C-alpha cells in the first residue's frame, strides 16, 4: 500500500502579532485578533458562491504548497485519538484546554470521532516544546524534509497517509516562542485544521485560516464549508479530482438549498474558540 507524508507550517514573515487582545474566559489567555473585520467581510458574496467554494476547496484540499500531488482526497477514516507529549516542559493545562476546545469544534463540524487517546493508541501527537528544542523535535518525530523549517516557521504539522487515508499526524508547537509572538491560538487552529486533510495554503482563498497573508486566526464560514464538504460521507479518501468534482458540486448545491452557505459564518461562530469572542 502506498504511504505518503505531508507537512505544513506558519511562516514568521507572514503571521504578525495583533494589537488588540481579549481575555478568553476560563482559559486566561490573550488571543491576537484582527484589527477589524475587513478580511472576513471582503468579497463576501464571492466566497459564498458555489463556483468560488468549489475552486477554493480544490485549492486547499487537493494541493500542497511544498510538493506536487496526485490531487486526491485526503481525510481520516479511522477515529482520531490525540495525546500531548511534552519535551523538557511541565504539563500546561491551558494549552491542552485550547486544543481540546478546537478539536471538539472540528468533531462537531465534521461529525468525525475525535477524542483523547485514553486507552487507545494515539494517532495524533501534539508536541509541546521550547523554541530551542523545536528543530530537534521536528527532526525526531516528523517526516518533514523542508530545509531550515525551524527557522522558517512558527509551528508545524504533518501527517502520513495509507492508501490516501490519513493514518497519523504530528503537531509541533514551540510554546515560549508562540506566547512571545501572540500566535498560540493561530497555530493551534491552523495546524490542527490542516491535519484533517486540508494541507494547502493559498493567498487568494479568503476568508480562511489557509490564507497566510490574512490576519484571520479562527475558523471562518469558508473553513466551515471546507470541513463539511471534506467529511461528507459521499466523499471518500483517495477519490481523484475527476471523480470527486460532480459529488462536491452536488454537496455544495445541497448546502446552498439548506441555507448553510448563507449562515456558515454564524454556524462556525457558535462553537469552539470562536464562541469565546461573541
Amino acid at each position: 500500500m502506498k504511504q505518503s507524508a505531508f507537512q505544513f507550517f506558519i511562516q514568521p514573515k507572514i503571521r504578525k502579532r495583533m494589537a488588540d487582545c481579549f481575555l478568553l474566559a476560563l482559559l486566561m489567555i490573550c488571543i491576537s485578533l484582527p484589527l477589524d473585520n475587513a478580511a472576513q467581510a471582503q468579497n463576501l458574496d464571492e466566497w459564498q458562491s458555489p463556483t468560488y467554494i468549489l475552486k477554493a476547496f480544490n485549492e486547499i484540499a487537493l494541493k500542497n504548497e511544498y510538493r506536487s500531488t496526485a490531487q486526491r482526497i485526503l481525510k481520516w477514516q479511522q477515529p482520531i485519538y490525540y495525546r500531548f507529549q511534552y519535551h523538557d516542559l511541565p504539563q500546561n493545562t491551558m494549552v491542552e484546554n485550547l486544543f481540546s476546545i478546537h478539536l471538539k469544534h472540528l468533531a462537531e463540524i465534521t461529525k468525525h470521532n475525535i477524542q483523547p487517546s485514553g486507552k487507545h493508541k494515539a494517532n495524533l501527537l501534539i508536541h509541546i516544546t521550547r523554541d530551542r528544542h523545536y528543530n530537534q523535535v521536528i527532526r525526531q518525530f516528523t517526516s518533514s524534509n523542508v530545509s531550515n523549517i525551524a527557522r522558517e516557521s512558527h509551528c508545524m504539522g504533518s501527517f502520513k497517509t495509507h492508501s490516501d487515508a490519513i493514518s497519523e499526524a504530528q503537531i509541533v508547537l514551540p510554546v515560549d516562542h508562540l506566547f512571545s509572538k501572540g500566535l498560540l491560538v493561530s497555530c493551534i487552529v491552523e495546524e490542527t485544521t490542516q491535519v484533517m486533510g486540508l494541507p494547502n495554503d493559498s493567498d487568494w482563498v479568503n476568508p480562511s485560516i489557509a490564507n497566510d497573508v490574512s490576519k484571520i486566526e479562527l475558523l471562518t464560514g469558508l473553513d466551515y464549508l471546507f470541513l463539511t464538504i471534506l467529511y461528507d460521507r459521499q466523499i471518500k479518501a483517495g477519490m481523484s479530482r475527476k471523480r470527486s468534482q460532480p459529488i462536491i458540486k452536488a454537496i455544495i448545491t445541497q448546502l446552498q438549498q439548506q441555507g448553510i452557505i448563507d449562515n456558515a459564518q454564524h454556524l462556525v461562530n457558535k462553537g469552539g474558540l470562536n464562541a469565546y469572542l461573541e
Side-chain angles (χ1 to χ4, degrees):
M1 296 295 183
K2 183 179 180 181
Q3 294 188 353
S4 301
F6 298 79
Q7 58 270 329
F8 24 84
F9 50 84
I10 295 180
Q11 298 177 348
K13 292 183 180 179
I14 296 176
R15 293 290 189 183
K16 296 181 180 178
R17 186 177 184 179
M18 301 296 107
D20 297 330
C21 291
F22 291 84
L23 188 65
L24 283 178
L26 304 178
L27 299 179
M28 301 294 290
I29 182 168
C30 185
I31 173 175
S32 53
L33 293 174
L35 297 177
D36 53 46
N37 292 323
Q40 294 197 32
Q42 181 181 0
N43 299 326
L44 180 62
D45 293 334
E46 183 180 14
W47 77 258
Q48 289 180 315
S49 75
T51 301
Y52 187 92
I53 294 168
L54 176 64
K55 181 181 178 182
F57 178 86
N58 289 338
E59 183 73 13
I60 301 305
L62 300 182
K63 297 181 181 181
N64 187 293
E65 62 180 319
Y66 301 109
R67 53 175 288 183
S68 60
T69 71
Q71 297 203 20
R72 293 183 178 275
I73 294 291
L74 304 171
K75 62 187 290 187
W76 292 84
Q77 292 183 323
Q78 60 184 318
I80 299 173
Y81 299 112
Y82 65 91
R83 178 170 63 83
F84 298 95
Q85 185 163 338
Y86 289 86
H87 303 272
D88 192 32
L89 281 174
Q91 182 180 10
N92 189 315
T93 55
M94 181 192 67
V95 172
E96 292 188 13
N97 285 337
L98 288 170
F99 266 107
S100 296
I101 290 170
H102 183 59
L103 286 164
K104 181 180 179 182
H105 197 195
L106 292 175
E108 291 169 350
I109 295 170
T110 62
K111 307 297 189 294
H112 191 76
N113 187 2
I114 305 174
Q115 58 183 289
S117 58
K119 296 180 180 180
H120 298 276
K121 180 181 179 181
N123 50 18
L124 169 57
L125 283 175
I126 301 167
H127 300 273
I128 310 299
T129 186
R130 300 179 190 271
D131 191 38
R132 66 173 179 263
H133 300 315
Y134 183 40
N135 184 62
Q136 177 185 343
V137 173
I138 291 172
R139 299 305 174 193
Q140 183 176 354
F141 293 97
T142 79
S143 56
S144 174
N145 55 7
V146 179
S147 60
N148 301 319
I149 186 172
R151 290 200 301 269
E152 296 178 358
S153 68
H154 288 301
C155 51
M156 68 88 64
S158 68
F159 60 74
K160 293 182 178 180
T161 62
H162 185 76
S163 299
D164 295 311
I166 300 173
S167 56
E168 62 178 273
Q170 314 276 341
I171 295 172
V172 185
L173 266 62
V175 289
D176 53 341
H177 171 75
L178 299 181
F179 275 121
S180 71
K181 298 294 184 181
L183 290 171
L184 178 63
V185 171
S186 178
C187 275
I188 289 173
V189 172
E190 181 168 346
E191 303 301 342
T192 311
T193 304
Q194 286 189 309
V195 299
M196 294 298 293
L198 299 170
N200 199 28
D201 290 326
S202 174
D203 293 349
W204 67 262
V205 175
N206 190 46
S208 171
I209 58 167
N211 186 323
D212 274 343
V213 299
S214 75
K215 300 172 183 177
I216 295 169
E217 297 186 323
L218 298 173
L219 291 178
T220 69
L222 187 57
D223 297 320
Y224 179 93
L225 295 174
F226 291 160
L227 289 162
T228 300
I229 294 167
L230 181 61
Y231 279 86
D232 188 287
R233 292 184 178 181
Q234 300 173 78
I235 301 297
K236 308 297 183 183
M239 272 187 173
S240 66
R241 181 184 180 115
K242 181 178 180 180
R243 185 182 174 193
S244 67
Q245 295 306 283
I247 300 174
I248 295 171
K249 289 178 182 178
I251 293 171
I252 293 172
T253 298
Q254 185 178 34
L255 293 174
Q256 186 178 41
Q257 293 171 346
Q258 294 172 341
I260 292 175
I261 292 176
D262 287 342
N263 292 302
Q265 191 60 52
H266 172 70
L267 291 170
V268 79
N269 283 342
K270 289 172 61 178
L273 296 172
N274 298 56
Y276 284 90
L277 304 179
E278 287 192 334

